[in-house]
Amino acid sequence: MAEESNDEHYLKAATELGDSQKVLAHQAIYSSNGMKLVERGLRVDSGLFERLINHRLQLPIDESLTAEKAVTLEDLRNQAEALITQQPFYGRLAAELSDRVTLLGAIGSIALPKAMAFRLTVARDRGGALFEHSLQVALIALYLGIRQELEVPDLRALAAAALIHDIGMLHVDPEMLQPDHRLDAAERRQLHAHPLTATMIVRQRPEYPQAVARAILEHHERHDGSGYPRGLKGAEISVMGRILLLAEVVAAVLDKKTSAPEQRLSLILRLNHSKFDAQMSSVILKLLEQGIVDETDSEQDIRNAERIKSLADDFDEWSKARSEMRHYAAGAPVVGAFLTDRVATLERSLADAGLHPDQLKSVCADVRDQPGEVRELAMLAREAGWQLKGIIQDVFCRFPTLETTEEPGEVAIRDWLLQLNGRLQ
């Protein structure tokens, strides 16, 4: 456990916290073989990183450090209240006084041992947008939990799971998270490990019920089995896990710096209806109906038409590749079946949303003089393109030997995936 909590990236962030505020070792820090590395009462900053990284520690680093400006329950409640006040979507979550009281009450009463408070402080001060994202997820998750009629203790556990669900991200190389960084297959597998890391950390804390660790482990699962780390489906995912995975997606989409984020989120939920709990999705969609505004932007409309044409070209390419892949199926039955199934699922979702790939050209002609309709179709096209990129990344992540294989069937699949990925840049 100490090794998991003190890898290079987290240890670096934890010691760098001492460069911006006072961080003390409230107990001596020892290596696993009993060597004293840091005296009790010593101030810790980035200057100690090199001394600590060369040893496996006896205890996780956050068990030994105290930050002067550590996150408190009052901080969590106040910042959640600020989100409700300042951002319209989160304001709608608390439009009813009873919801507001329950939301803020649950967040302000979670179990917060000192070691976890330290981790949240690192997330707040060294983790970029990680801390605010977790607060956003907590508010959305609690709103869904209230609609699921969870009892107060369960809401408190759900709030804790939401607030700490991404602490495993503190163990990921920050360079991988830069907007312009393109993940390779190995890095994507590392990123996919963050729910496991967070789960191991939380399971060591007796303050949290097992439901908290389970929900954190499941926050990237999907109802149709396309998620990770275990590929669970439907009822295999706990109720808290289903709430958390949806809340995480909602917060992530709304926080992206794109035009009309609420309209895009509505589209994503409708396009990916098989990935999320239908009843919970309907709750979010009703909230979105209150806030979506149809804005006019003629230049954007031109770009929208181009996106739709690009999507049609992508699916034309896929239709050709499907017939080629059947020819090579004997050489790559597992990869081919996985890829074919995932894209067929995307095609069905597009059809359910009113835009099957075979209908693209005719639909575009029908709505040519309706900017609002073109805008929604373009957002759908863009989302489908992102879905295709996600499928490509997932294939390389699940089948790492695909990058170096010389099997004819797998080579054909790899070449097509790389070609399509290049077009989707």
Side-chain angles (χ1 to χ4, degrees):
M1 182 58 207
E3 186 175 7
E4 289 297 334
S5 295
N6 297 305
D7 70 2
E8 176 184 357
H9 307 301
Y10 177 61
L11 187 60
K12 187 173 180 62
T15 52
E16 285 179 345
L17 180 66
D19 295 342
S20 57
Q21 64 168 290
K22 190 175 182 179
V23 174
L24 296 178
H26 61 255
Q27 62 182 11
I29 301 175
Y30 291 89
S31 69
S32 58
N33 63 8
M35 180 189 301
K36 184 184 287 188
L37 302 174
V38 177
E39 291 281 356
R40 179 178 180 272
L42 185 69
R43 182 163 182 171
V44 174
D45 57 26
S46 58
L48 287 177
F49 173 72
E50 293 298 334
R51 184 191 306 180
L52 296 173
I53 194 61
N54 292 318
H55 299 273
R56 181 174 180 178
L57 303 187
Q58 198 173 83
L59 293 174
I61 190 67
D62 32 51
E63 295 287 351
S64 303
L65 301 183
T66 300
E68 184 179 36
K69 300 175 184 176
V71 169
T72 65
L73 291 177
E74 185 179 4
D75 292 334
L76 292 172
R77 183 187 174 100
N78 289 343
Q79 292 191 51
E81 193 161 19
L83 274 173
I84 289 171
T85 302
Q86 297 167 9
Q87 298 193 26
F89 177 82
Y90 296 97
R92 294 199 295 277
L93 296 177
E96 298 290 333
L97 179 60
S98 60
D99 287 343
R100 186 186 187 98
V101 170
T102 303
L103 289 170
L104 296 176
I107 288 174
S109 61
I110 68 165
L112 191 63
K114 287 183 178 179
M116 195 59 70
F118 184 84
R119 278 189 168 270
L120 286 177
T121 307
V122 175
R124 182 192 65 192
D125 294 2
R126 307 300 305 173
L130 187 62
F131 182 73
E132 184 170 0
H133 169 72
S134 297
L135 277 169
Q136 293 166 341
V137 172
L139 286 171
I140 298 164
L142 285 167
Y143 183 83
L144 291 170
I146 293 168
R147 297 301 171 275
Q148 290 291 307
E149 300 183 346
L150 296 186
E151 299 292 336
V152 170
D154 291 332
L155 288 174
R156 191 176 296 120
L158 178 61
L163 286 165
I164 59 181
H165 78 282
D166 259 351
I167 57 173
M169 293 294 287
L170 295 171
H171 295 257
V172 174
D173 184 351
E175 290 299 317
M176 288 171 46
L177 307 179
Q178 296 302 311
D180 58 349
H181 182 83
R182 299 194 182 281
L183 296 171
D184 59 29
E187 289 174 328
R188 187 159 293 278
R189 287 192 292 275
Q190 181 185 341
L191 188 63
H192 282 193
H194 80 269
L196 296 166
T197 303
T199 301
M200 286 190 290
I201 293 167
V202 172
R203 281 179 176 164
Q204 302 299 314
R205 306 299 326 181
E207 298 88 349
Y208 300 114
Q210 287 301 307
V212 173
R214 181 177 175 183
I216 290 171
L217 181 62
E218 296 171 339
H219 80 268
H220 278 293
E221 299 289 355
R222 296 292 180 262
H223 262 236
D224 60 359
S226 64
Y228 63 87
R230 295 184 292 171
L232 300 180
K233 292 184 178 181
E236 295 174 345
I237 308 170
S238 67
V239 173
M240 284 192 192
R242 278 177 267 163
I243 290 173
L244 196 55
L245 70 87
L246 177 57
E248 208 276 337
V249 169
V250 172
V253 174
L254 291 179
D255 201 40
K256 288 189 181 298
K257 308 303 180 187
T258 58
S259 60
E262 292 195 20
Q263 185 176 3
R264 181 177 169 239
L265 175 59
S266 174
L267 197 61
I268 287 172
L269 294 181
R270 287 180 281 136
L271 178 61
N272 298 281
H273 58 84
S274 64
K275 295 181 182 293
F276 310 110
D277 182 285
Q279 190 274 330
M280 294 181 193
S281 289
S282 68
V283 170
I284 299 298
L285 287 168
K286 287 178 183 177
L287 277 175
L288 294 172
E289 287 173 3
Q290 302 171 27
I292 293 174
V293 178
D294 187 15
E295 299 176 346
T296 301
D297 184 340
S298 57
E299 291 186 5
Q300 185 64 46
D301 289 341
I302 295 172
R303 293 193 293 272
N304 288 341
E306 290 299 318
R307 286 198 184 100
I308 295 174
K309 181 180 182 301
S310 175
L311 180 66
D313 292 341
D314 290 337
F315 274 99
D316 284 345
E317 189 73 22
W318 164 246
S319 296
K320 297 174 187 174
R322 261 190 308 202
S323 60
E324 294 173 1
M325 281 173 31
R326 290 191 189 101
H327 177 68
Y328 293 112
V334 178
V335 181
F338 176 82
L339 177 59
T340 302
D341 179 68
R342 289 293 302 276
V343 177
T345 299
L346 175 57
E347 289 179 332
R348 287 194 298 271
S349 296
L350 284 166
D352 291 342
L355 189 62
H356 189 275
D358 294 341
Q359 303 168 326
L360 276 168
K361 291 183 175 64
S362 61
V363 169
C364 291
D366 292 340
V367 301
R368 184 181 301 140
D369 299 323
Q370 303 173 48
E373 296 296 329
V374 170
R375 194 171 304 121
E376 178 154 333
L377 288 176
M379 294 178 76
L380 181 59
R382 182 169 53 188
E383 177 58 28
W386 284 329
Q387 294 271 341
L388 280 172
K389 277 190 73 69
I391 291 171
I392 293 167
Q393 293 164 348
D394 204 16
V395 170
F396 281 110
C397 186
R398 289 177 185 246
F399 303 97
T401 59
L402 196 63
E403 294 185 77
T404 57
T405 184
E406 295 183 1
E407 290 291 329
E410 293 182 349
V411 169
I413 292 174
R414 179 186 66 206
D415 290 349
W416 178 75
L417 289 173
L418 292 175
Q419 180 183 19
L420 179 58
N421 191 61
R423 294 184 57 191
L424 293 170
Q425 299 300 332

